[in-house]
């Protein structure tokens, strides 16, 4: 299988703290891959290193065979990487439809000139893609509501739909199940699995073991910035180092 | 006739027939001056709206860019004999150029720091107008005696000048309307909401901000040229900080992010002091109280953004409507 994302001894130091310490791994195309670890393990930092929000202190990120280390965030997005945010960042004062349209228009490209003259084909493409994504997450009847007025769970799906509107090759979800109850989490797990079945590579960054254990094909476990395990969930579950770090060692 | 077409025709009839007819009937230069002032400030407010209302950048120096346009037009006209036909676009380009130069270092600044930077730019340009006596004639200002000359045709009548100002302002506002009511406008709005998140959507945030700032300055420069040519005299105080605040007030009272609201705000703040002239100096207090009340009771503005976007999409017909089963959503 071809490798889509490759991390090569990625390290990030904040002052004296090694938030991410020498992490290497590979993600294959079409994989549903999980990154887990207890609070403060460096998951979000690693994620920010991958998506370009934070530059690494050392090491390299290769996406589709090319190094993307040090590229600005918007250029990495154009290469086909799309992300959501841990603390749910939809555009609150824009409608649901307009939120999703931003995901689409970033990739399709708009300019002041296309707005004034001859941008009709682009506008049609953006509109159609936005409707398609609305349909996919079942928010069609909310298209004209302000994002701020949606329920928490629906805003989560809106954020995912906006990321999907970029038609990414790799989708990274940062703690999508945070703040959801069990039945909502189960529904989300099904949604993510279905997405993955369409051939999309997905990376899940999660704090909660339940979701990742159930659906991921492979897991990387971080503790104190270091990679302590990299295997299928069944093996990771029994790994003594993981149990020690993650569950406190008495399970 | 469809509803959008009817509304558009109605607006055209008001601006190009009803108002000039009424002005001719009143037959006094004073009323024409107010009409010109209203157009200039509607254009200023509409251009600031793009930066502050749509892209969410608090801009405290808009009047100084308006001043750059006015000085470019007045100096080209009075010193070099370059008339209105070329002076008008050159005024816009001059202001846009100055804006581009100052935008490069300031656009990476966040919220309040950007506001303070624009405040500094406004003061700096004001001091240039005031103290660079060799070029700007300092506090004495610049006289511009040649009237409006359009491709060789001198336009002398008050009615003719009204039409020139109205057409230039209307076309400019239409362009700004299109920029804020389109997917490009959506991209600008997303900057206001969360610019980091917008970058993750593959949008070059810095370039977008510079674009909005420069386009806005271009139209402020156009407004400056209209002002210089219609009053025939400009001085630094026409472009000081309080003018920037006046324009900003129009935007906020009208509704941040709402172009129709901003136009209403500008009209109101220009016309109200004139209507209240009968009350003498108390009128300024009345205007202040009304503004205070407007913000207190209508914090989203006289015509808020949600209503404004509905208006643009459904009443003016800017929505994408390939699928007739959907109500107007998205943009053409």
């Amino acid at each position: 299988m071809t490798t889509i994302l490759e991390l090569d001894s990625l390290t990030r130091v904040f002052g004296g703290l090694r938030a991410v310490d020498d992490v290497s791994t590979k993600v294959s195309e079409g994989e549903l891959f999980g990154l887990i670890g207890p609070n403060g393990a460096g998951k979000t930092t690693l994620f920010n290193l991958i998506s370009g929000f934070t530059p690494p202190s050392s090491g390299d990120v290769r996406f589709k065979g090319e190094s993307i280390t040090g590229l600005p965030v918007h250029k990495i997005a154009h290469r086909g990487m799309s992300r959501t945010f841990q603390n749910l960042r939809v555009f609150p004062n824009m409608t649901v439809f307009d939120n999703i349209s931003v995901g689409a228009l970033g990739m399709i490209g708009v300019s002041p000139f296309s707005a004034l003259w001859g941008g009709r084909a682009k506008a049609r493409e953006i509109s159609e893609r936005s409707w398609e994504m609305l349909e996919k997450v079942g928010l069609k009847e909310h298209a004209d509501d302000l994002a701020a007025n949606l329920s928490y769970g629906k805003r989560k799906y809106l954020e995912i739909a906006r990321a999907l509107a970029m038609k990414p090759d790799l989708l990274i979800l940062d703690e999508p199940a945070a703040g959801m109850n069990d039945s909502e989490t189960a529904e989300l797990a099904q949604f993510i699995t279905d997405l993955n079945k369409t051939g999309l590579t997905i990376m899940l960054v999660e704090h909660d073991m339940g979701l990742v254990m159930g659906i991921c094909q492979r897991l990387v476990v971080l503790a104190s910035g270091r990679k302590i395990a990299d295997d299928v969930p069944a093996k990771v579950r029994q790994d003594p180092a993981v149990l020690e770090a993650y569950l406190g060692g008495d399970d | 006739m469809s509803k959008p077409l009817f509304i558009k025709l109605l607006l055209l009839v008001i601006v190009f027939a009803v108002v000039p007819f009424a002005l001719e009937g009143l037959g006094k230069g004073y009323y024409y001056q107010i009409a010109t002032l209203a157009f200039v400030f509607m254009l200023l407010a509409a251009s600031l709206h793009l930066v502050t209302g749509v892209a969410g950048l608090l801009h405290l120096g808009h009047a100084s860019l308006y001043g750059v346009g006015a000085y470019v037009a007045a100096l080209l006209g009075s010193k070099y004999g370059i008339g209105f036909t070329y002076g008008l676009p050159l005024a816009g380009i001059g202001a846009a150029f100055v804006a581009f130069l100052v935008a490069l270092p300031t656009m990476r600044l966040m919220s309040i720091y950007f506001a303070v930077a624009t405040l500094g730019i406004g003061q700096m340009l004001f001091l240039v107008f005031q103290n660079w006596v060799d070029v700007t004639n300092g506090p004495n200002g610049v006289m511009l005696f040649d009237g409006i000359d359009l491709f060789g045709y001198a336009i002398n009548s008050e009615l003719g000048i009204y039409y020139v100002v109205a057409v230039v302002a209307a076309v400019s506002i239409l362009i700004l309307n299109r920029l804020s009511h389109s997917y490009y406008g959506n991209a600008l709005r997303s900057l206001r909401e969360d610019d980091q998140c917008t970058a993750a959507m593959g949008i070059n945030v810095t370039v977008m901000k510079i674009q909005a700032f420069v386009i806005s300055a271009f139209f402020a420069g156009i407004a400056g040229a209209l002002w210089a040519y219609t009053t025939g005299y400009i001085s630094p105080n026409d472009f000081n900080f309080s003018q920037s605040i006046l324009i900003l007030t129009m935007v906020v009272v009208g509704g941040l992010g709402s172009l129709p609201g901003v136009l209403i705000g500008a009209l109101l703040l220009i016309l109200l002091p004139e209507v209240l002239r009968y009350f003498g100096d108390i009128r300024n207090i009345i205007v202040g109280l009304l503004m205070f009340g407007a913000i207190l009771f209508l914090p989203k503005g006289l015509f808020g953004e949600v209503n404004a976007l509905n208006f643009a999409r459904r009443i003016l017909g800017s929505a994408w409507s390939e699928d007739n089963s959907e109500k107007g959503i998205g943009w053409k």
Side-chain angles (χ1 to χ4, degrees), chain B residues 203-235:
Chain B
I203 294 167
N204 190 334
V205 171
T206 313
V207 166
M208 289 278 293
K209 287 180 181 172
I210 293 177
Q211 278 174 357
F213 194 68
V214 168
I215 293 168
S216 155
F218 176 82
F219 288 110
I222 295 285
L226 290 179
W227 175 247
Y229 269 95
T230 49
T231 59
Y233 170 71
I234 55 168
S235 72

Side-chain angles (χ1 to χ4, degrees), chain A residues 131-148:
Chain A
W131 279 119
E132 184 192 329
M133 297 306 154
L134 272 174
E135 186 109 59
K136 204 173 223 171
V137 295
L139 286 174
K140 214 171 168 182
E141 68 273 29
H142 294 287
D144 203 31
D145 296 345
L146 281 189

Side-chain angles (χ1 to χ4, degrees), chain A residues 53 74 77-78 85 89 91-94 97-98 101 105-107 112 115 123-124 126-127 131 144 162 166, chain B residues 175 178-179 182-184 186-187 190 193-194 196-197 199-204 211 313-314 320 322 329-330 332:
Chain A
F53 273 68
H74 67 94
H78 271 280
F85 292 84
R89 286 161 77 172
F91 306 128
N93 299 310
M94 293 169 71
F97 184 90
D98 285 350
S101 77
L105 67 87
M107 293 300 116
R124 169 197 289 263
I126 293 167
S127 301
W131 279 119
D144 203 31
R162 189 180 61 187
M166 295 164 67
Chain B
I175 293 174
R178 187 62 203 148
L179 290 176
S182 62
Y183 285 115
Y184 181 72
N186 274 13
S190 73
E193 298 290 301
D194 186 335
Q196 260 198 331
C197 193
M201 310 280 112
I203 294 167
N204 190 334
Q211 278 174 357
R313 280 180 171 130
R314 277 152 220 159
W320 186 70
E322 295 286 322
I329 286 173
K332 261 185 211 160

